[in-house]
């Protein structure tokens, strides 16, 4: 089973906290509301008890006064005296009116009413016997009686206070005052609240809620019912109704009772009670708990709402803290990465510096090695050149020496014509030596002369014209392929002519021992470039020599035939023109030398003038 996610648990915990706060708020307010209600009930009961006392006390002495009244004594001793009865009746009526009593009356020792304040009313007590009433017997037996009952004659409830009438140790009768407590009930109703007064059996005989009246607060047992019936206390009233209280619990702050109301609903009341000493009654105050509950529910809801708001604020604050923490963490991480990266860079930089240092040292070493090599090459080249030059110069010098000796001899012998021919040979030898030194000068010179726009086809024609004598003599066939309009390049016509002449001369050397002697020269313009190539039908270049042909003093020719400088000079000239001289062996035999030059963009070629 999947475990509930953390957020669901948090929400459940939050809801629990809110519910707990709500319930606690409800409980606190409910408790304090009940405590207040109990205090108010206690206060109210105390007040009403004393009011009741005051009302009753006003009349308490009245029966006593009647019991000691002379005319009453006389009446009880002469009960048939009509005039006396009439007088006593009137004085009782006057006294009842003055005192505010419901009724004042006098019974003989058998309980028969002889005179009463209501003698002249339809429901007069006169002639009625009330010996079944406890207040009659109590007065006779205990010297005083008090009893609340519904009047059997009038049907009106009242409180009866009685005193025995004695004369010289003989019981004459009983004097009674009946007072109404309805006024109290009216006061309770107008003051609000639920007040009820119960007799010693728990029957409510005064109550501010009208329908509570004459209902037992608890179930009556059979003996109690018999007693009530016998004394006719609640004559005409059925006490068979349900007991008022349905349920009763007793929390610390007062008893709580459930009472079924007129509408049939069960209401909870906080009940406070006070047993009224001397009456045998109990005064009750019932405070409806519904408003207290409503207030407590509202307070609970308000507490829960406050808790929810505080909780939300807390969650918001915590979320914000978490976001801040994440940002700080990210910042820390970034800083750490930057630090690490910086350290890496510093390390890389260090190693780079070391590498640079090593490279520099290696370069120094290489340069030193190169310098040494150059020095060695120079020495080697010098040796080679010295040997070649010595050979080249020695040969004509030796020939010159021999020819000069023969010229001297011819001159001495007078053979002037032959001497002149010998001098011509000397001239040739000197010219050859001059040619040699010319080559060396060219090789040594760094400045290759002026560069200008020239027509390369004209340069080719000039070179061909110079070579043609030899080519023709040796039976070499030339194949020329050039664009008719000419191609202008920027360069030095003399130097390029020298290159072409050298290439033609080498080609002529190469084909000299071949049966078929062909040299093909082509000028091919391709966009911004022009390709010049000189190909021959000779043996081509041996693979071993391929890498060395452009080296100075490399030659395969016989001593005296070649210096090995032609191609290296040509290479340097083409290089100066921004091109590169290349060589390859053609597939159908023979070597091909070629180079590419950039085509000049504008300006008229100056080389045409050379060709003119
Ligand atoms: P030299 O002509 O004095 O020998 P070069 O520098 O002109 O000096 O040529 C160097 C060498 O290149 C030649 O000795 C020859 O071996 C080789 N060579 C040059 N041109 C050709 C060619 N067209 N065919 C074959 N070999 C060639």
């Amino acid at each position: 089973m999947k475990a509930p996610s953390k957020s669901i648990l948090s929400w459940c915990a939050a809801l629990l906290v809110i519910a707990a706060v709500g319930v606690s708020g409800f409980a606190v307010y409910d408790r304090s509301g009940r405590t207040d209600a109990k205090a108010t009930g206690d206060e109210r009961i105390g007040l009403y008890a004393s009011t009741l006392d005051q009302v009753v006390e006003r009349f308490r002495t009245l029966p006593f006064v009647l019991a000691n009244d002379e005319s009453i004594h006389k009446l009880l001793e002469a009960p048939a005296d009509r005039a006396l009865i009439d007088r006593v009746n009137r004085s009782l009526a006057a006294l009842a009116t003055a005192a505010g009593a419901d009724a004042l009356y006098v019974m003989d020792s058998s309980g028969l009413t002889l005179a009463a304040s209501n003698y002249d009313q339809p429901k007069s007590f006169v002639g009625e016997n009330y010996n079944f009433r406890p207040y009659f017997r109590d007065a006779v037996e205990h010297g005083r009686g008090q009893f609340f009952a519904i009047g059997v004659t009038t049907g009106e409830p009242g409180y009866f206070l009685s005193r025995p009438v004695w004369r010289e140790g003989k019981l004459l009768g009983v004097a009674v005052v009946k007072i109404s407590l309805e006024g109290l009930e009216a006061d309770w109703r107008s003051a609000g609240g639920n007040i009820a007064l119960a007799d010693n059996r728990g029957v409510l005989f005064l109550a501010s809620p009208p329908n509570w009246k004459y209902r037992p607060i608890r179930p009556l047992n059979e003996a109690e019912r018999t007693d009530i019936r016998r004394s006719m206390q609640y004559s005409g009233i059925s006490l068979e109704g349900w007991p008022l209280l349905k349920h009763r619990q007793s929390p610390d702050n007062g008893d709580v009772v459930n009472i079924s109301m007129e509408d049939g609903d069960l209401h909870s009341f906080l009940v406070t009670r006070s047993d009224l000493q001397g009456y045998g009654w109990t005064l009750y105050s019932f405070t409806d708990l519904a408003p207290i509950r409503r207030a407590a529910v509202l307070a609970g809801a308000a507490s829960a709402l406050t808790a929810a708001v505080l909780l939300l604020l807390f969650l918001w604050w915590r979320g914000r803290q978490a976001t801040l923490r994440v940002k700080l963490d990210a910042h820390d991480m970034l800083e750490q990465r930057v630090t690490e990266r910086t350290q890496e860079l510093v390390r890389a930089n260090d190693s780079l510096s070391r590498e640079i240092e090593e490279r520099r040292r290696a370069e120094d070493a290489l340069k030193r090695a190169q310098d040494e090599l150059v020095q060695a090459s120079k020495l080697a080249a010098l040796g080679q050149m010295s040997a070649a030059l010595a050979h080249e110069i020695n040969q004509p010098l030796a020939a010159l020496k021999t020819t000069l000796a023969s010229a001297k001899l011819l001159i001495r012998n007078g053979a002037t014509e032959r001497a002149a021919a010998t001098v011509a040979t000397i001239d040739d030898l000197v010219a050859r030596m001059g040619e040699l030194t010319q080559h060396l000068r060219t090789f040594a010179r760094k400045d290759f002369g002026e560069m200008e726009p020239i027509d390369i086809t004209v340069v080719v024609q000039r070179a061909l014209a110079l070579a043609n004598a030899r080519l023709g003599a040796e039976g070499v066939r030339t194949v020329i392929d050039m664009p008719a309009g000419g191609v202008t390049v920027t360069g030095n016509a003399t130097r390029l002519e020298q290159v072409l002449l050298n290439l033609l001369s080498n080609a002529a050397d190469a084909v000299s021992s071949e049966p078929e002697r062909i040299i093909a020269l082509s000028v091919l313009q391709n966009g911004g470039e022009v390709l010049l190539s000189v190909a021959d039908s000779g043996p081509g270049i041996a693979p071993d020599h391929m890498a060395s042909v452009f080296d100075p003093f490399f030659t395969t020719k016989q001593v005296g035939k070649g210096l090995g400088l032609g191609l290296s000079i040509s290479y340097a000239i083409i290089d100066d023109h921004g091109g590169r001289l290349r060589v390859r062996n053609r597939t159908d035999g023979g070597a091909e030398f070629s180079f590419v030059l950039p085509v000049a963009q504008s300006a008229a070629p100056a080389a045409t003038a050379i060709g003119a």
Side-chain angles (χ1 to χ4, degrees):
M1 205 175 86
K2 203 180 155 194
S5 78
K6 207 176 158 191
S7 73
I8 290 178
L9 285 176
S10 309
W11 278 112
C12 286
L15 286 176
L16 272 178
V17 168
I18 292 168
V21 170
V23 169
S24 308
F26 169 80
V28 167
Y29 274 80
D30 191 50
R31 194 183 165 81
S32 85
R34 283 183 195 199
T35 307
D36 288 352
K38 184 171 178 345
T40 311
D42 284 343
E43 219 170 86
R44 189 181 289 163
I45 276 189
L47 180 70
Y48 290 159
S50 73
T51 311
L52 174 75
D53 243 3
Q54 282 166 17
V55 170
V56 174
E57 282 311 313
R58 262 177 44 216
F59 299 98
R60 200 173 283 285
T61 52
L62 259 181
F64 182 76
V65 171
L66 293 179
N68 291 291
D69 188 270
E70 192 51 38
S71 58
I72 300 242
H73 282 207
K74 280 184 184 161
L75 173 69
L76 290 171
E77 282 167 342
D81 187 342
R82 299 298 312 171
L84 186 59
I85 290 172
D86 191 46
R87 208 170 55 244
V88 171
N89 273 342
R90 284 176 198 280
S91 73
L92 285 176
L95 188 59
T97 308
D102 234 21
L104 286 171
Y105 54 104
V106 181
M107 295 179 281
D108 67 11
S109 57
S110 70
L112 179 71
T113 308
L114 298 179
S117 58
N118 57 5
Y119 69 97
D120 54 351
Q121 288 170 19
K123 290 182 177 174
S124 167
F125 293 171
V126 179
E128 300 291 334
N129 193 316
Y130 297 118
N131 66 357
F132 57 90
R133 292 291 207 185
Y135 64 82
F136 176 78
R137 269 180 284 118
D138 284 347
V140 173
E141 287 168 19
H142 304 298
R144 63 167 62 189
Q146 52 190 36
F147 189 60
F148 184 89
I150 293 173
V152 285
T153 312
T154 57
E156 284 168 12
Y159 188 43
F160 299 86
L161 297 168
S162 62
R163 284 281 184 157
V165 183
W166 295 95
R167 180 94 180 224
E168 292 164 4
K170 184 182 169 222
L171 178 76
L172 294 180
V174 173
V176 184
V177 58
K178 179 184 179 186
I179 53 178
S180 170
L181 298 178
E182 303 280 294
L184 281 177
E185 210 176 45
D187 286 350
W188 295 348
R189 270 188 207 127
S190 61
N194 303 298
I195 303 294
L197 190 56
D199 65 14
N200 56 341
R201 295 188 188 89
V203 178
L204 301 184
F205 61 90
L206 283 183
S208 56
N211 59 331
W212 289 9
K213 206 160 165 177
Y214 305 124
R215 287 180 67 180
I217 205 159
R218 55 179 170 76
L220 294 170
N221 60 34
E222 205 40 53
E224 286 171 329
R225 285 183 184 282
T226 311
D227 263 3
I228 291 168
R229 258 197 310 277
R230 194 181 300 136
S231 66
M232 298 179 72
Q233 189 177 6
Y234 298 111
S235 61
I237 303 285
S238 162
L239 297 177
E240 298 304 315
W242 289 102
L244 189 69
L245 304 189
K246 292 288 177 199
H247 181 67
R248 179 191 190 113
Q249 2 153 205
S250 301
D252 327 339
N253 46 6
D255 288 350
V256 174
V257 295
N258 288 339
I259 298 175
S260 81
M261 303 300 282
E262 273 174 344
D263 52 13
D265 282 354
L266 215 57
H267 279 216
S268 289
F269 291 90
L270 181 82
V271 56
T272 47
R273 50 178 286 171
S274 175
D275 293 328
L276 304 182
Q277 299 300 323
Y279 296 90
W281 299 339
T282 307
L283 189 59
Y284 289 99
S285 165
F286 299 92
T287 308
D288 196 345
L289 286 177
I292 293 174
R293 286 247 165 90
R294 274 199 295 276
V297 165
L298 276 178
S303 310
L305 198 70
T306 310
V309 168
L310 287 176
L311 214 64
L312 278 176
L313 276 174
F314 172 72
L315 288 176
W316 171 81
W317 176 80
R318 221 177 54 170
R320 201 161 160 271
Q321 292 293 100
T323 315
L324 276 177
R325 228 177 3 255
V326 166
K327 275 187 187 167
L328 281 176
D329 287 353
H331 182 258
D332 286 355
M333 203 184 284
L334 197 68
E335 235 173 36
Q336 197 185 337
R337 273 199 202 150
V338 167
T339 310
E340 283 171 6
R341 193 86 190 97
T342 309
Q343 283 171 352
E344 272 172 29
L345 283 174
V346 166
R347 277 198 297 275
N349 202 26
D350 286 352
S351 87
L352 201 65
S353 300
R354 275 197 303 278
E355 263 177 37
I356 289 172
E357 184 56 28
E358 276 168 21
R359 183 153 299 197
R360 207 180 52 72
R361 276 202 297 273
E363 269 175 11
D364 286 352
L366 190 68
K367 194 157 177 346
R368 272 198 306 278
Q370 271 177 348
D371 287 350
E372 283 163 15
L373 203 64
V374 166
Q375 191 60 29
S377 312
K378 276 181 185 168
L379 289 174
L382 195 64
Q384 268 183 329
M385 194 173 76
S386 303
L389 280 177
H391 181 81
E392 285 296 318
I393 290 171
N394 269 347
Q395 247 195 348
L397 271 181
L400 205 57
K401 202 174 172 187
T402 318
T403 315
L404 271 174
S406 112
K408 268 191 218 164
L409 200 64
L410 286 170
I411 291 169
R412 207 179 296 143
N413 294 338
T416 326
E417 274 182 29
R418 282 182 61 194
T422 312
V423 169
T425 307
I426 292 169
D427 205 22
D428 278 351
L429 288 169
V430 171
R432 189 167 167 206
M433 287 169 73
E435 194 185 335
L436 183 67
T437 51
Q438 178 65 33
H439 263 307
L440 288 172
R441 268 197 10 241
T442 307
F443 185 65
R445 199 163 66 193
K446 276 271 171 230
D447 177 18
F448 284 95
E450 198 136 317
M451 305 283 271
E452 55 192 348
I454 48 167
D455 185 350
I456 195 70
T457 56
V458 174
V459 177
V460 171
Q461 279 163 4
R462 273 193 60 87
L464 277 170
L466 288 173
N468 261 344
R470 178 185 169 188
L471 297 177
E474 291 180 9
V476 179
R477 187 158 64 88
T478 52
V479 181
I480 314 297
D481 180 17
M482 282 196 294
V487 181
T488 308
V489 299
T490 303
N492 185 296
T494 313
R495 298 290 153 214
L496 289 174
E497 189 186 305
Q498 189 184 344
V499 171
L500 286 169
L501 203 56
N502 183 254
L503 293 179
L504 287 170
S505 162
N506 278 347
D509 287 345
V511 297
S512 60
S513 51
E514 297 295 319
E516 194 182 26
R517 300 165 190 178
I518 303 170
I519 295 176
L521 199 157
S522 80
V523 178
L524 194 67
Q525 185 179 358
N526 184 15
E529 295 180 329
V530 59
L531 172 76
L532 281 95
S533 69
V534 178
D536 60 60
S537 59
I541 294 161
D544 288 354
H545 299 160
M546 205 48 123
S548 317
V549 287
F550 296 112
D551 290 347
F553 300 110
F554 174 81
T555 182
T556 57
K557 293 173 188 169
Q558 289 174 347
V559 177
K561 287 276 182 190
L563 271 178
L565 290 175
L567 282 182
S568 63
I569 290 169
S570 299
Y571 187 92
I573 292 170
I574 297 302
D575 189 59
D576 271 8
H577 280 79
R580 180 168 288 261
L581 184 60
R582 299 174 193 279
V583 64
R584 69 178 185 101
N585 281 326
R586 289 163 59 239
T587 46
D588 51 346
E592 181 186 76
F593 286 82
S594 63
F595 59 92
V596 172
L597 292 176
V599 174
Q601 297 301 316
S602 57
T608 38
I610 298 168

